[in-house]
Amino acid sequence: MSLLRSRLTRGAAAAAALALTVGLSACGAAGEEQTEGPTRQFKADNGTVEIPQDPKRVVATGYAVPSLIEADAPLVGISSWERGEPMMSDEDLKTYKDLPKVAGETAAETNYDAIAEQNPDLIVIGVPKPIFAEIDAERLESIAPVVAIGPNVPSAWREVSHKQADAAGALERFDEVKGEYEAKAEKLKDKYADALSGLKLAHVGGYGEVENGNFQREFDGSWGTNIAGDIGATYYGEVKEKGKGSRAVSEYPSLEELPSAMREADAITYTVNADGSVPQSVKYVLDSNLWKNLPAVKKDMTFPIKYTEAATYGQAQQTLDALDESFAPLLKK
Amino acid sequence: MTGTQKTGETPVLERTSTVRVPVGGRAWFVQRRTIGLVVGCVVAMLGLGFVGLSYGTSWATPGEVFGALTGLEPSVVIAEWRAPRVVAGILFGAALGVAGAIFQNLTRNPMGSPDIIGLDAGAYTGALLVMTVFAGASVTVAFGAVAGGLVTAALVYSLSRSNGLSGMRLVVIGIAVNAMVTALNNWLVLRAELEVAMAAVGWNSGSLNGIDWEDLVVPGVVIAVLLTVIGLRASALQQSALGDSIAVSTGVPLERQRLLMVLVGVGCTATVTAVAGPVMFVALAAPQIGRRLAQAPGVPLLPAALTGAVLLQFADLVAQMLLAPVSLPVGVVTTAIGGGYLIWLLAQEVRRR
Amino acid sequence: MTSAPPASPPTARTARPAILVVGLLALFAAGVASVAVGARAVPLGELWGALADFDPLNGDHLVVRDIRLPRTLLGIAVGAALAVGGALIQTLSRNPLAEPGILGVTHGAGFALTVGAALGLAGSAVSQLGLGVAGSVLATALVYAVGRHSTLRLLLAGVAFSAVLMGVSLGIRLTSPDTLDKYRFWAVGSLAGREQTDLTVPLVAIGAALVGALVIARSLNAIALGETVAHTLGANVARVRTATLVLITVLAGAATAVAGPILFVGLIVPHLLRRLTSGSVPWLVGLSAVVGPILMLVADTIARVLLHTGEVPVAIVTAFLGGPVLIWVVRRYGAGSL
């Protein structure tokens, strides 16, 4: 897949370079032409918006950045998205680095001037709803149609990235990657069917507001668990006091409660960084004597999971590979 | 006072600069400094304003800027996006400078400025509550900020107001309330999801990004009214700054005077905070810097307003340019510039001795 | 403002040893509560068992030995350091608002940690400690260099410098959300989760500085009466000042590095005690070292039970305990009496 992908991107890069030279020789006249193609109605978080059927110049921010780069959407400007960098493929990372940045990490510092400069025909804002209020939508709408498509729960990246790719007219490539992911997940599901059936899992996470002295426990549908769920892993239990968004699927109890929380688990998975190192909040749990006393730990049934923050089908394939690698010892038991 | 309204245009300026110095010979000197300061600040504002209108992803030529301003060569970016930002910098900077000067006069303590005694933190609490508990539109974030700031101000004021108001007590109680409110804010941020937390931190650093003419109408009117009110009362403000006994003997109705000044100071801070978020440190630094530039005793209002306007305008330009094309929140820069300049001034004074 | 009347009432004088005894008893009670209370319900019998007859496979024993006991000791050290640091700086600056945080110590440490995290240096607990202490020492040195000639200027420089650092670290945090996430760990002071870290160095530093504070308190007593009086009494004002500042920096820097910024303990404890110690700086320092830990342990115990879904960082509790007390003191006695 990576071979095909790299060839595709290289072709696109060459085409872009050509277009750039032509544009330069045309001496700035290129940007002035407004494409008045056919439009369609699109339902987004900010209501139903009329967007071009085949957008040519797309600006993306937030979660839309990795998903639209991966779907080979016609991007002309993006926000910076540091947290996604470790999970991008080399080609995608290069695209990410090369594209002009039009916004910082926070939505409040969107550079309207720079977005207007790119003369886009569609703006995809990939931030959760409460954040969208921070953006001057009216001003953006004066530049180009704006669609807001953001996640509200950790596992929502599937629908969110699909909608983002749909809006940007890049479904073709998106479906290709999605198909690859699903095929791979199906294969792994068969492979681990026996090993995972009836296995009660628990997950120690490292995302969000893990305070000192606390640990994050993730249940089904959270960052660390949703992709494992696709290959048949089930995490038992549920959040004591459900909140909104990610707080419905994960909680942050005190370390003192570790034995009571995970005593019944047959196996425990935990989040590790992209380079395999253990994040501090997880290391704190792993280094404690309470952890070493857990039945699952004593039976050596603990598995690190990399790339738990995947938010696109391409990134999630890396997570699947990481799961396969980590779960391999299960097959021997 | 002493009949100093010679130039009809700017009676307020004249009065603030001369009233505070009873010695005739020195009063003249201060006045000249003040005029120089006014001219210098206006020139700086115009220059910075021009740069602000020209600066963007690509620089506009002077011709384009003038064309956009006069309407001969319409440009949405310059007239509708950049111009309100420039005006906001001047307006909000002046408002914050005056608010700081008022509180520093009242409390007779440079640390008695609104950002230290909890108004900004209270506004942040209001905004945080709106973002996390009642996740809603930006209108309500502004409303939450104003409400939070006003509630905090009322709390501080009513707690420090038994048997008259003592400046020192107001500062101490303000710091106590500020710490409690800040703790509450920290807790709210810790509870929030990472995305919301980042947006909240972004809001908390104060920004002039995305301000439209529409956003400026109400704050502009409010600030203009408040500044006029305080300008007319400036002489009484100086009186109360001299001390309770002097003020009482010269017949200034103290209690009412103070309440009025507190209301103006709170009003200025809350209005700016609602639109731009808490732009820290302008209210603390501008009056102190202005006082030194004007070489005036006490904390005069006019130099504070002018310095505040230039400071915020300059900071906003730096914020846009520093990491271009990604722009920083202006609050980050105001703290760095304002604080750095204040330290430099303090160091200069040390050297002179 | 802070210098008490030279002739203190005899009742307060004789009451001081009694206050010390009561304080020590209260400290013991607070210590027991801090070991007994937590998210996991530990029966009282197991509590004694954990200390006398430790069983490494018993969950209750592990919680007491591994988590609560170190945390209690840390609370005592941090509480004493902050309270004594506050007592010293208030006496030295004769400003009732003076607090280690105002001198820039807290923000110096915070800035160093943020920069360290952004550069990838703050990975290990030891390097975090180093960064925190180094940052607070540098910050204090800079602020002192600018403002050493007058108290007001010292405070002004401290506030200005803190704000500059806050602005810059906010900028770093905003442009790098990873750092933001790490910073949030450190931004609110807490005693939780430190038990695996080797805290020998900061705790030894705090212990040594506490002893130093008691030694220097006598000379500070003379300075508290005014610099001219101090000169006539033969105290070397400059040397005592410098030594006191070093002690303050070490106390506050080490406490901040291990527990994060905890406000109000350094402000409120000396305020409460000043009246009881009737102007004697050695007594003020000694009692602060007892009452500071009590406040800290009580606050930390409350922090554990306040929410049943998890803990609240202790700095939030100290702010809510200390804030109203300060307001009450100001309203009761007036700001001038501080």
Side-chain angles (χ1 to χ4, degrees):
Chain A
M1 155 238 146
S2 63
L3 230 168
L4 173 76
R5 173 99 145 271
S6 73
R7 233 175 254 157
L8 265 174
T9 332
R10 215 169 285 155
L18 188 72
L20 192 69
T21 348
V22 173
L24 278 177
S25 52
C27 210
E32 303 298 313
E33 286 162 48
Q34 198 71 39
T35 38
E36 289 287 343
T39 60
R40 63 177 174 136
Q41 301 294 317
F42 189 85
K43 254 183 92 178
D45 293 355
N46 56 336
T48 306
V49 186
E50 189 174 335
I51 61 167
Q53 212 147 50
D54 186 20
K56 294 278 183 295
R57 303 179 61 81
V58 179
V59 162
T61 73
Y63 284 102
V65 172
S67 68
L68 289 188
I69 289 180
E70 195 176 287
D72 287 343
L75 290 172
V76 292
I78 54 170
S79 75
S80 121
W81 190 246
E82 245 182 51
R83 74 185 95 160
E85 282 178 33
M87 283 183 294
M88 286 181 198
S89 66
D90 290 347
E91 293 292 335
D92 285 357
L93 193 62
K94 192 179 174 313
T95 318
Y96 167 83
K97 292 248 157 87
D98 290 348
L99 277 167
K101 302 286 180 298
V102 294
E105 294 283 337
T106 58
E109 291 311 312
T110 308
N111 190 337
Y112 304 97
D113 221 292
I115 293 180
E117 192 84 3
Q118 296 304 330
N119 194 23
D121 55 6
L122 178 70
I123 301 169
V124 183
I125 306 288
V127 298
K129 247 189 212 162
I131 318 291
F132 184 65
E134 289 294 297
I135 297 169
D136 189 344
E138 241 172 78
R139 188 176 286 189
L140 283 182
E141 276 155 12
S142 74
I143 304 171
V146 177
V147 287
I149 308 163
N152 44 12
V153 289
S155 56
W157 59 264
R158 295 172 177 82
E159 299 83 55
V160 167
S161 60
H162 175 267
K163 269 186 103 170
Q164 288 164 345
D166 184 14
L171 270 184
E172 198 180 321
R173 174 77 193 130
F174 174 85
D175 285 336
E176 215 173 295
V177 181
K178 183 184 172 192
E180 287 166 15
Y181 170 83
E182 280 169 351
K184 191 176 247 177
E186 206 54 41
K187 222 175 76 195
L188 289 178
K189 198 170 185 174
D190 289 345
K191 185 173 171 189
Y192 289 99
D194 292 338
L196 285 174
S197 80
L199 199 70
K200 280 167 85 178
L201 280 158
H203 186 87
V204 178
Y207 193 70
E209 39 297 289
V210 194
E211 281 151 46
N212 293 307
N214 291 8
F215 68 98
Q216 186 196 19
R217 180 174 180 199
E218 296 186 43
F219 300 93
D220 273 332
S222 187
W223 292 282
T225 54
N226 75 80
I227 295 164
D230 282 354
I231 65 166
T234 43
Y235 289 82
Y236 78 102
E238 57 177 19
V239 178
K240 253 185 265 169
E241 281 192 21
K242 287 204 177 185
K244 273 189 277 183
S246 63
R247 293 206 172 263
V249 288
S250 70
E251 63 184 9
Y252 300 89
S254 160
L255 184 68
E256 292 185 4
E257 291 177 86
L258 184 70
S260 54
M262 299 196 173
R263 197 181 292 132
E264 290 161 41
D266 301 320
I268 302 175
T269 54
Y270 57 91
T271 299
V272 292
N273 295 328
D275 60 1
S277 64
V278 183
Q280 220 178 332
S281 53
V282 178
K283 189 170 182 296
Y284 172 65
V285 177
L286 264 49
D287 283 352
S288 72
N289 286 323
L290 292 171
W291 166 265
K292 287 163 193 155
N293 261 353
L294 287 173
V297 179
K298 282 187 174 159
K299 278 187 278 170
D300 208 15
M301 291 284 276
T302 61
F303 308 98
I305 305 184
K306 269 197 271 191
Y307 309 118
T308 55
E309 288 167 40
T312 68
Y313 279 109
Q315 293 171 357
Q317 289 181 43
Q318 298 182 49
T319 319
L320 286 179
D321 289 337
L323 277 168
D324 189 18
E325 191 184 315
S326 188
F327 277 158
L330 260 183
L331 295 174
K332 293 176 202 138
K333 291 193 180 180
Chain B
M1 285 290 88
T2 42
T4 43
Q5 291 99 316
K6 276 168 262 166
T7 38
E9 265 178 75
T10 53
V12 180
L13 328 183
E14 295 282 328
R15 281 164 75 174
T16 46
S17 53
T18 50
V19 157
R20 53 179 58 253
V21 184
V23 192
R26 225 185 130 202
W28 166 241
F29 176 69
V30 170
Q31 211 172 13
R32 214 172 47 181
R33 285 268 325 178
T34 310
I35 292 169
L37 183 68
V38 173
V39 173
C41 283
V42 169
V43 169
M45 275 183 230
L46 287 176
L48 288 171
F50 185 74
V51 176
L53 289 176
S54 317
Y55 176 75
T57 315
S58 55
W59 287 81
T61 63
E64 280 170 348
V65 173
F66 286 118
L69 289 182
T70 50
L72 294 173
E73 190 190 330
S75 159
V76 175
V77 173
I78 295 174
E80 302 288 326
W81 295 5
R82 293 182 194 164
R85 188 167 184 161
V86 168
V87 172
I90 296 174
L91 189 68
F92 294 172
L96 287 174
V98 167
I102 287 175
F103 276 100
Q104 292 178 12
N105 270 323
L106 262 181
T107 58
R108 269 166 260 151
N109 191 321
M111 295 208 294
S113 64
D115 22 16
I116 304 285
I117 62 169
L119 299 202
D120 291 41
Y124 188 27
T125 310
L128 269 175
L129 283 175
V130 170
M131 284 186 201
T132 57
V133 183
F134 322 97
S138 69
V139 186
T140 51
V141 169
F143 173 77
V146 171
L150 290 182
V151 167
T152 314
L155 189 70
V156 172
Y157 188 74
S158 57
L159 280 174
S160 26
R161 217 199 65 109
S162 71
N163 302 323
L165 184 86
S166 139
M168 199 58 191
R169 183 160 60 194
L170 191 130
V171 174
V172 178
I173 287 179
I175 287 181
V177 170
N178 183 41
M180 288 165 67
V181 172
T182 306
L184 182 65
N185 293 345
N186 280 331
W187 185 69
L188 285 171
V189 170
L190 279 171
R191 292 286 119 195
E193 295 200 36
L194 187 62
E195 275 89 14
V196 180
M198 283 204 58
V201 171
W203 185 88
N204 189 37
S205 47
S207 170
L208 301 180
N209 196 18
I211 286 181
D212 290 325
W213 287 120
E214 279 169 50
D215 301 328
L216 280 180
V217 176
V218 177
V221 171
V222 172
I223 290 174
V225 169
L226 292 175
L227 292 188
T228 314
V229 168
I230 202 68
L232 295 174
R233 297 301 188 98
S235 59
L237 174 67
Q238 306 312 322
Q239 289 297 315
S240 56
L242 293 175
D244 290 9
S245 48
I246 298 176
V248 169
S249 64
T250 46
V252 178
L254 252 186
E255 200 57 25
R256 238 186 27 217
Q257 193 63 44
R258 278 190 173 144
L259 185 62
L260 179 78
M261 292 194 301
V262 168
L263 285 179
V264 171
V266 171
C268 283
T269 314
T271 312
V272 174
T273 310
V275 186
V279 184
M280 294 293 283
F281 218 60
V282 175
L284 176 68
Q288 293 295 319
I289 296 172
R291 178 175 83 92
R292 282 167 173 81
L293 289 179
Q295 290 189 355
V299 187
L301 293 182
L302 182 69
L306 291 170
T307 318
V310 175
L311 183 64
L312 187 55
Q313 220 190 338
F314 178 64
D316 191 39
L317 269 179
V318 174
Q320 291 177 65
M321 292 177 178
L322 205 59
L323 294 179
V326 174
S327 62
L328 274 172
V330 68
V332 171
V333 182
T334 53
T335 48
I337 294 182
Y341 184 59
L342 194 52
I343 289 178
W344 180 77
L345 277 178
L346 292 165
Q348 285 296 105
E349 280 188 12
V350 171
R351 205 170 301 152
R352 228 174 280 147
R353 302 225 160 151
Chain C
M1 239 175 294
T2 54
S3 55
S8 52
T11 44
R13 238 167 234 256
T14 47
R16 289 190 300 219
I19 294 168
L20 182 64
V21 172
V22 173
L24 286 172
L25 286 175
L27 178 59
F28 181 74
V32 171
S34 165
V35 176
V37 178
R40 181 190 176 109
V42 177
L44 278 178
E46 294 294 325
L47 206 64
W48 179 247
L51 301 177
D53 180 23
F54 179 61
D55 171 12
L57 294 179
N58 183 325
D60 286 338
H61 288 195
L62 279 177
V63 166
V64 171
R65 277 286 270 257
D66 277 10
I67 298 181
R68 295 193 192 158
L69 216 56
R71 184 168 173 169
T72 305
L73 293 177
L74 186 66
I76 292 174
V78 168
L82 290 173
V84 170
L88 290 181
I89 195 170
Q90 282 174 27
T91 309
L92 184 71
S93 66
R94 268 174 277 165
N95 188 312
L97 297 184
E99 226 237 326
I102 292 175
L103 257 190
V105 176
T106 309
H107 289 117
F111 181 71
L113 280 160
T114 311
V115 170
L119 296 176
L121 292 176
S124 80
V126 176
S127 65
Q128 276 183 6
L129 288 181
L131 282 169
V133 173
S136 53
V137 168
L138 275 178
T140 313
L142 265 172
V143 169
Y144 188 62
V146 170
R148 66 183 177 282
H149 291 278
S150 94
T151 309
L152 180 67
R153 195 169 293 135
L154 191 68
L155 294 180
L156 208 57
V159 171
F161 188 65
S162 305
V164 175
L165 293 186
M166 243 159 56
V168 177
S169 44
L170 189 66
I172 297 176
R173 275 145 54 201
L174 280 175
T175 49
S176 158
D178 248 15
T179 319
L180 174 85
D181 210 28
K182 280 181 197 129
Y183 180 84
R184 291 201 305 163
F185 262 112
W186 189 87
V188 187
S190 165
L191 296 177
R194 267 77 177 168
E195 62 270 6
Q196 292 166 10
T197 320
D198 183 14
L199 296 174
T200 323
V201 176
L203 291 188
V204 166
I206 288 176
L210 286 176
V211 174
L214 280 170
V215 171
I216 212 167
R218 201 172 287 274
S219 314
L220 271 176
N221 227 358
I223 290 188
L225 297 173
E227 288 188 15
T228 16
V229 183
H231 274 300
T232 30
L233 288 177
N236 186 336
V237 177
R239 197 180 299 165
V240 172
R241 270 175 168 241
T242 313
T244 311
L245 269 170
V246 169
L247 288 176
I248 292 166
T249 314
V250 172
L251 285 171
T256 309
V258 292
I262 295 177
L263 285 176
F264 268 120
V265 176
L267 190 66
I268 201 74
V269 172
H271 277 324
L272 289 176
L273 291 173
R274 178 152 293 118
R275 201 157 281 280
L276 298 171
T277 53
S278 52
S280 157
V281 179
W283 273 100
L284 179 66
V285 169
L287 281 178
S288 292
V290 176
V291 177
I294 298 176
L295 182 63
M296 204 67 218
L297 290 182
V298 170
D300 189 42
T301 311
I302 294 175
R304 286 181 233 169
V305 293
L306 206 58
L307 283 185
H308 48 121
T309 47
E311 287 191 21
V312 176
V314 70
I316 289 172
V317 180
T318 57
F320 272 91
L321 284 180
V325 174
L326 181 58
I327 291 171
W328 175 77
V329 170
V330 176
R331 285 184 64 82
R332 176 83 175 72
Y333 300 108
S337 73
L338 291 171

